[in-house]
Amino acid sequence: MIFKVAWRNIWRNPARSLVVIASVAAGLYAGMLLIAIFNGFVVQEIDSAVHTQLAHIQIHAPAFSEDKDIKIVLPNGTELEEKLKNIPGITGVSGRIITTGMISSATAAAGMEIHGIDARDEQRVSKVSEMMLQGSYFKTPRPNSVVLGSTLAEKLGVKMNSKIVLTFQSATGDLTAGSFRISGIFKTTNSMFDQSTVFVQKADLATITGTLNNLHEIAILCADIKQVDATTSDLKKQYPALKVESWKEISPEMAMVTSIFDQMMYIIIGIILLALMFGIINTMLMAVLERQREFGILMAIGMNKPRIFMMILWETVILTMAGIPVGIGATLASLAYLSKAGLDLTQFSKSLSQYGIGNIIYPVLQPAVFLPITIFTAITAILSALYPAWKALRFKPAVAIHKI
Amino acid sequence: MNEVIKITDVSKIYNPEAIPVKAVDGVTLTVEAGEFTALVGPSGSGKTTLLNLIGGLDHPTSGTVEIAGTNITTMRENALIDFRLRHIGFVFQAYNLVPVLSAQENVELVMLLQGKSAKERSDRAKELLASVGLPDKLDKRPSELSGGQQQRVAVARALASKPGFILADEPTANLDSVSTSNLLDIMTRLNKENNMTFIFSTHDQRVIDKARRVIKLVDGKIESDSRQ
Ligand SMILES: Nc1ncnc2c1ncn2[C@@H]1O[C@H](COP(=O)(O)OP(=O)(O)OP(=O)(O)O)[C@@H](O)[C@H]1O
Ligand SMILES: [Mg+2]
């Protein structure tokens, strides 16, 4: 009957009960959606960095990374490349010739990292080929063609089929130059990358630099990002003389995004739950104070404090239990839509893409998040009922009975 | 002789620090089983305060309160709640009932608190509501009942726990004269037929006339105590 009283009390003031249900639902919804957006953002950002710049794993000769000296090649690089292709769990291997140099058009010039790649191998590691605005990613390979980013093309004042000159150091230390024709223009979500990297075919670059059959970098993509750590440590053991690095090691700041995200998530959820807490305390306190006389009479006729306490707690629990499915339902509905349509941040995109953030975020929520968030919300709601319930226990029946 | 209530030299002072109000001042009183007692006196004379002390709803500043042979003067809050549940029935001036429960559920509530079985609760609640003339109002919520009917449900509820006596603070103050005499008839009958002890405060002369003992309080002191 304690439960019955609690249940019926909920219907006594439906508007107030709705407020509690709505706050629980809104708290849950806001919390989950924010997590999904943040999570979607992080997943996309890592994905974008992995599929343009980083790959999952990179292998270099130990001294190469420091000043990208063209002379520091991977010993037996091409053989290594072939071996890696046969390791299970590795889905893409691309051997790259890398050199730094200058790109010049008729009107402008810029410093540059030049990647000599094999288009077929590179496409298994990088998604740049899927981000072409014009032309293609070496689909119809003509000798001395170059693929570059749209922002760089604008800066240089060049278009498709324009001629540009690449100047760089050869393997012997001399300055050499080659004339290239633009065969493709890409645009990734990372404008820094777009401005600083150009692609040419490995054979073309090798001919000019004299690094035939040599590689500076082998980029590896695993079947699943979760395998990366294990695969990296395997390769490290297998090739102790080489520098094997996972994307987290190459770009610690990218790895940090994840932990910053986690912290922000906790703070945001904390704020949401705190707001929820005050909302419920306030509403339930009103409900309790309004019924002061009733509690006074119940205590007078012999209802003990644990029972009164439970009555108020039940009321909150029922309201919370009603709010939770509403919140989860709303979250799922919104996610079903947003995970396909994406959250369009185009209006902020100019500033965002400078940081490598895409225009459209596709919120994703790991199923593992549902339960803890739901439990946290439920606990918060029930904790919030403790103060009003405690307040009710403090009523003195002789006084409360005379309250209207 | 069977004393259900025995209070000795009881005083209650409100606001002992600021402006002390001596609401009950050295009252000594015994009530025996089967008595039908009216507590009268001008407004502010201490009737409510005295009933609260007898009912264990408040602690006296000094003196002792013994109910059914148990000294409840220094009993702790939780123990008092339990004591009230088992020994004392209450009827208050108005809005006695839990608004979200039906008449029958309101009567059953005390028995539930006492741990009685569902069958016993239901049977007794129906019987009691019939005895206060409301056999057809079992499922009605308080808001669907008149003030007089609500007070009768309250009496039924007070009886439900099989208390040693029933305390009623101005039970008829909010009722019209028909409802008043109705309620009083029920109380009188319960007193006569079941030997139920009642102590009620009132300002209403017609109610006082029905009492067999009248205690008059003035300024927290018993001015007169007469049987009629
Ligand atoms: N909680 C309280 N705090 C302070 N003073 C109080 C309190 N309750 C009652 N009093 C005072 O104690 C005195 C007795 O009050 P009480 O309510 O017992 O009188 P009463 O006889 O029941 O009056 P009425 O006929 O108006 O109901 C009054 O002077 C009243 O103002
Ligand atoms: Mg009074």
Side-chain angles (χ1 to χ4, degrees):
Chain A
M1 198 170 313
I2 305 282
F3 180 82
K4 200 190 270 175
V5 174
W7 171 257
R8 292 192 189 158
N9 273 332
I10 285 165
W11 299 100
R12 221 159 134 181
N13 192 335
R16 180 164 53 211
S17 299
L18 266 179
V19 167
V20 177
I21 292 173
S23 5
V24 170
L28 206 58
Y29 177 75
M32 293 220 200
L33 205 64
L34 269 170
I35 290 172
I37 291 170
F38 268 76
N39 190 43
F41 160 65
V42 169
V43 167
Q44 268 168 262
E45 180 154 7
I46 289 172
D47 200 61
S48 139
V50 160
H51 287 106
T52 53
Q53 261 179 307
L54 298 174
H56 282 152
I57 302 168
Q58 293 183 6
I59 302 180
H60 302 102
F64 178 79
S65 308
E66 277 156 36
D67 47 10
K68 305 210 163 155
D69 188 334
I70 192 164
K71 279 169 284 191
I72 303 173
V73 295
L74 279 164
N76 304 321
T78 40
E79 283 159 45
L80 177 59
E81 189 184 359
E82 290 313 309
K83 260 193 232 163
L84 292 170
K85 281 180 182 168
N86 293 323
I87 296 180
I90 289 181
T91 51
V93 177
S94 177
R96 297 165 174 168
I97 300 175
I98 292 179
T99 181
T100 50
M102 286 269 289
I103 182 166
S104 1
S105 67
T107 51
M112 191 57 45
E113 196 171 294
I114 301 153
H115 287 207
I117 49 93
D118 178 299
R120 206 170 309 149
D121 286 343
E122 185 70 10
Q123 279 172 39
R124 318 196 97 201
V125 170
S126 152
K127 283 189 182 158
V128 173
S129 62
E130 295 168 20
M131 302 173 183
M132 302 306 294
L133 290 184
Q134 291 173 12
S136 74
Y137 196 75
F138 308 109
K139 252 190 198 138
T140 45
R142 278 176 295 165
N144 280 19
S145 41
V146 61
V147 169
L148 48 65
S150 62
T151 36
L152 180 64
E154 267 166 48
K155 206 161 123 190
L156 295 172
V158 292
K159 297 196 196 79
M160 279 292 291
N161 295 318
S162 296
K163 241 186 191 171
I164 51 101
V165 173
L166 294 174
T167 314
F168 41 81
Q169 243 190 356
S170 74
T172 54
D174 305 321
L175 224 53
T176 58
S179 167
F180 287 78
R181 201 175 281 280
I182 296 173
S183 69
I185 296 176
F186 64 84
K187 182 170 169 51
T188 71
T189 53
N190 181 348
S191 63
M192 283 287 278
F193 177 77
D194 291 3
Q195 280 182 51
S196 62
T197 314
V198 301
F199 296 94
V200 299
Q201 293 173 98
K202 194 149 64 177
D204 294 343
L205 194 59
T207 315
I208 302 171
T209 55
T211 51
L212 214 58
N213 286 333
N214 279 327
L215 297 175
H216 298 107
E217 177 173 290
I218 296 177
I220 297 171
L221 205 70
C222 298
D224 188 339
I225 196 163
K226 288 181 196 118
Q227 299 169 351
V228 171
D229 288 342
T231 310
T232 308
S233 67
D234 282 352
L235 292 175
K236 276 181 178 165
K237 263 180 239 149
Q238 232 173 312
Y239 302 103
L242 299 178
K243 193 167 188 185
V244 180
E245 293 169 294
S246 71
W247 65 273
K248 288 183 203 166
E249 291 165 310
I250 304 161
S251 177
E253 61 281 4
M254 189 59 64
M256 223 166 70
V257 168
T258 314
S259 73
I260 290 174
F261 155 77
D262 277 347
Q263 285 169 20
M264 274 173 81
M265 201 172 81
Y266 283 125
I267 292 170
I268 289 173
I269 289 177
I271 291 170
I272 289 172
L273 290 183
L274 210 65
L276 177 65
M277 196 167 207
F278 279 111
I280 293 181
I281 288 179
N282 200 35
T283 320
M284 288 312 291
L285 203 57
M286 252 160 60
V288 164
L289 291 177
E290 259 179 35
R291 290 178 213 150
Q292 223 179 119
R293 180 194 172 88
E294 214 171 302
F295 289 123
I297 284 172
L298 287 173
M299 282 191 243
I301 66 167
M303 187 179 279
N304 63 23
K305 295 190 169 189
R307 285 187 164 120
I308 296 216
F309 197 80
M310 278 316 292
M311 212 163 85
I312 296 164
L313 223 57
W314 266 126
E315 213 172 311
T316 316
V317 168
I318 296 168
L319 292 173
T320 306
M321 291 307 154
I324 283 174
V326 175
I328 291 183
T331 308
L332 289 177
S334 297
L335 283 181
Y337 172 73
L338 287 175
S339 64
K340 291 212 180 66
L343 199 63
D344 195 348
L345 297 180
T346 314
Q347 50 198 116
F348 316 106
S349 71
K350 238 198 171 103
S351 53
L352 285 176
S353 74
Q354 280 173 12
Y355 303 105
I357 299 171
N359 294 347
I360 296 181
I361 291 179
Y362 297 91
V364 226
L365 202 60
Q366 308 98 312
V369 174
F370 274 99
L371 195 63
I373 303 268
T374 307
I375 290 173
F376 274 136
T377 310
I379 289 176
T380 307
I382 289 158
L383 280 181
S384 320
L386 294 183
Y387 177 69
W390 175 81
K391 194 87 184 167
L393 298 188
R394 307 261 302 165
F395 295 150
K396 296 267 168 272
V399 179
I401 283 162
H402 296 282
K403 299 269 155 109
I404 303 136
Chain B
M1 292 282 214
N2 187 1
E3 285 172 357
V4 286
I5 300 165
K6 182 167 191 251
I7 63 176
T8 314
D9 201 17
V10 159
S11 295
K12 176 71 187 181
I13 303 172
Y14 288 114
N15 287 329
E17 269 94 46
I19 317 142
V21 179
K22 227 171 186 182
V24 171
D25 188 2
V27 169
T28 298
L29 174 72
T30 58
V31 175
E32 277 153 33
E35 284 195 305
F36 199 68
T37 307
L39 200 55
V40 301
S43 188
S45 58
K47 302 183 291 295
T48 297
T49 307
L50 185 58
L51 286 174
N52 284 345
L53 293 174
I54 296 170
L57 294 174
D58 211 348
H59 290 284
T61 312
S62 64
T64 57
V65 179
E66 264 176 67
I67 303 296
T70 308
N71 186 344
I72 64 161
T73 321
T74 54
M75 214 180 251
R76 299 231 163 246
E77 183 100 15
N78 288 326
L80 266 178
I81 292 181
D82 198 51
F83 189 85
R84 290 197 295 261
L85 176 63
R86 283 181 289 114
H87 294 278
I88 309 170
F90 289 93
V91 177
F92 301 102
Q93 187 172 325
Y95 307 110
N96 266 289
L97 306 173
V98 179
V100 296
L101 295 180
S102 70
Q104 184 179 340
E105 287 166 337
N106 262 288
V107 177
E108 281 193 35
L109 182 60
V110 262
M111 292 185 275
L112 179 97
L113 297 175
Q114 286 179 323
K116 296 285 194 313
S117 75
K119 168 121 178 59
E120 187 181 347
R121 292 198 313 256
S122 162
D123 288 350
R124 186 161 163 77
K126 284 177 188 153
E127 182 190 311
L128 287 169
L129 283 168
S131 81
V132 297
L134 299 170
D136 52 343
K137 304 287 186 208
L138 300 178
D139 297 326
K140 294 275 183 279
R141 298 258 181 114
S143 58
E144 299 167 297
L145 299 171
S146 72
Q149 289 168 336
Q150 287 180 38
Q151 288 304 75
R152 284 191 266 160
V153 176
V155 170
R157 180 185 64 188
L159 288 166
S161 64
K162 300 187 177 162
F165 57 92
I166 291 176
L167 297 176
D169 193 7
E170 306 202 32
T172 61
N174 284 26
L175 304 183
D176 58 47
S177 57
V178 177
S179 302
T180 297
S181 71
N182 231 319
L183 186 71
L184 219 66
D185 287 347
I186 287 165
M187 286 165 60
T188 314
R189 180 166 49 77
L190 287 166
N191 173 252
K192 287 212 175 92
E193 290 174 8
N194 305 356
N195 202 35
M196 179 50 67
T197 314
F198 280 90
I199 305 168
F200 48 91
S201 68
T202 185
H203 287 283
D204 188 334
Q205 191 53 51
R206 285 165 305 174
V207 177
I208 299 170
D209 290 344
K210 297 269 186 168
R212 284 192 282 121
R213 181 181 176 186
V214 178
I215 298 170
K216 185 170 189 193
L217 281 182
V218 175
D219 291 336
K221 290 192 179 76
I222 293 180
E223 197 196 60
S224 66
D225 182 352
S226 60
R227 281 160 223 268
Q228 56 193 37

